[in-house]
Amino acid sequence: MLDGITSYFNKAKVKNPFLSPSDIELALSSFVSPIKEVNNQVLFVAELKDIVENQPVNEKARKQSQAEYKYHPKNNQELKDLVAHNAVKLSEIDISKVSNFTQLFIKDYANLL
């Protein structure tokens, strides 16, 4: 991409002999600097993605955290049933298998009226 910009300005110099090398340099820098910055950000994001994806999993800590939960609902309805019980503490519920949390704390409106 940078080569294309450079060649464009080199053609412009041939068409316009009044452009000085510093004019061309200034015009190029206004295009090249932001492109370089974007490229640096893309590389940085790729590096962060690689770090996150390749994090070692601490199996011992993961097993300990799963052992601390009393309840392991598999879907929204099971989770709603647990939340409805006053004796169940929310901190004792493993929600890792639940993907739908809609209307979790909403009670039946017919009973409220």
Side-chain angles (χ1 to χ4, degrees):
M1 183 169 200
L2 295 177
D3 293 332
I5 294 171
T6 306
S7 66
Y8 173 78
F9 280 103
N10 284 335
K11 289 177 189 174
K13 183 178 180 185
V14 172
K15 291 180 185 176
N16 188 346
F18 300 106
L19 288 175
S20 68
S22 62
D23 291 337
I24 293 172
E25 180 96 12
L26 180 63
L28 273 177
S29 69
S30 68
F31 287 100
V32 172
S33 295
I35 291 172
K36 285 183 179 179
E37 183 60 33
V38 167
N39 284 339
N40 287 340
Q41 292 299 318
V42 167
L43 290 173
F44 178 70
V45 167
E47 186 178 335
L48 283 178
K49 181 181 174 190
D50 184 56
I51 289 169
V52 169
E53 288 176 350
N54 295 315
Q55 279 293 333
V57 177
N58 186 340
E59 290 294 327
K60 183 179 177 184
R62 187 171 64 84
K63 287 178 183 176
Q64 285 176 343
S65 68
Q66 287 179 343
E68 293 174 10
Y69 296 116
K70 279 186 179 179
Y71 308 100
H72 304 276
K74 293 182 180 76
N75 56 43
N76 179 282
Q77 189 57 49
E78 288 180 12
L79 183 57
K80 279 184 182 181
D81 293 342
L82 287 171
V83 168
H85 292 285
N86 290 335
V88 175
K89 295 180 184 176
L90 295 179
S91 61
E92 296 175 337
I93 303 173
D94 175 16
I95 60 168
S96 63
K97 301 278 193 262
V98 180
S99 59
N100 180 4
F101 295 93
T102 57
Q103 300 182 348
L104 186 59
F105 295 101
I106 295 178
K107 296 184 180 191
D108 185 14
Y109 286 115
N111 293 334
L112 295 175
L113 298 175

